[in-house]
Amino acid sequence: MSAQRFDLRPGVTEPVVLLISRREIEFGDARSVIDRLLTRFRDPQSIWRYRGQLTLVIDGYNQDPRELVDIREVLSFLQEFDRHWPYWAFFFNQVDDSIKLYLSCLRGSVYLGGGAVEIDGKKLGDALMRGFTAMNSIFDDHRFPEDELETMSRGVIEVVEQAGLA
């Protein structure tokens, strides 16, 4: 009889929110957001525990009639953030709209207004490659289980397909 492995990690019971404020966006303060993430995810246990748990929330634009993808400052901020923190595929939640919002802001070719975005296939492919490379490095660096890497990668692809980004 072969041994079975069980993931007995404590469940995350509260949402894990990456809250990016309008102030941070307007000041282009991606470094402070990245520093918050690095503080939270500093050891292998916390990195593993929060895989696929992070919900991206952009705050401070509730009164703005534009969709987030139509706000130039949001796009610029997320592009800068992505240049320095490519680990979204590992950490972002696959159940909510975090990945869809992130990739729409980063990889659109035309922003038509009203939240409509035409996605550039090459840019999307580049973003997925970058996200998967970063995810692979986390798994390699910490020797996390290979089968979980495959599951998470399939999940990201499914989110992208269901969102109509691909």
Side-chain angles (χ1 to χ4, degrees):
M1 184 167 154
S2 65
Q4 288 185 331
R5 257 191 4 222
F6 296 99
D7 185 2
L8 300 176
R9 70 187 171 103
V12 176
T13 58
E14 295 180 20
V16 181
V17 175
L18 172 58
L19 181 70
I20 301 175
S21 71
R22 184 175 189 151
R23 181 189 167 285
E24 289 169 316
I25 289 171
E26 289 175 349
F27 285 104
D29 194 10
R31 186 77 244 166
S32 71
V33 176
I34 293 166
D35 288 345
R36 287 196 319 258
L37 290 169
L38 294 176
T39 299
R40 175 168 271 190
F41 308 127
R42 63 171 29 151
D43 60 75
Q45 293 80 14
S46 63
I47 291 168
W48 183 250
R49 182 173 185 222
Y50 290 104
R51 71 191 185 282
Q53 298 291 320
L54 196 61
T55 294
L56 175 62
V57 174
I58 308 291
D59 187 46
Y61 293 92
N62 298 344
Q63 303 306 316
D64 194 310
R66 299 172 293 173
E67 297 293 328
L68 291 171
V69 297
D70 298 323
I71 301 172
R72 183 75 229 147
E73 296 85 3
V74 171
L75 302 179
S76 296
F77 181 91
L78 289 178
Q79 290 164 0
E80 179 66 19
F81 175 79
D82 186 66
R83 276 192 279 284
H84 301 287
W85 197 79
Y87 305 104
W88 61 269
F90 182 85
F91 285 106
F92 279 0
N93 192 318
Q94 294 181 5
V95 178
D96 62 25
D97 286 336
S98 296
I99 293 172
K100 177 182 174 183
L101 172 62
Y102 195 68
L103 292 177
S104 293
C105 287
L106 291 176
R107 303 309 179 212
S109 58
V110 179
Y111 295 90
L112 304 166
V117 179
E118 288 182 9
I119 299 296
D120 181 307
K122 180 176 177 352
K123 286 182 179 180
L124 178 62
D126 291 347
L128 290 171
M129 181 61 71
R130 182 170 158 76
F132 288 142
T133 298
M135 186 188 316
N136 287 336
S137 73
I138 291 173
F139 272 84
D140 290 345
D141 291 349
H142 300 292
R143 299 183 182 170
F144 292 153
E146 188 75 25
D147 58 334
E148 186 70 15
L149 172 61
E150 186 177 328
T151 299
M152 289 182 72
S153 298
R154 279 195 318 263
V156 169
I157 294 296
E158 191 173 305
V159 167
V160 167
E161 289 173 346
Q162 288 179 355
L165 298 175

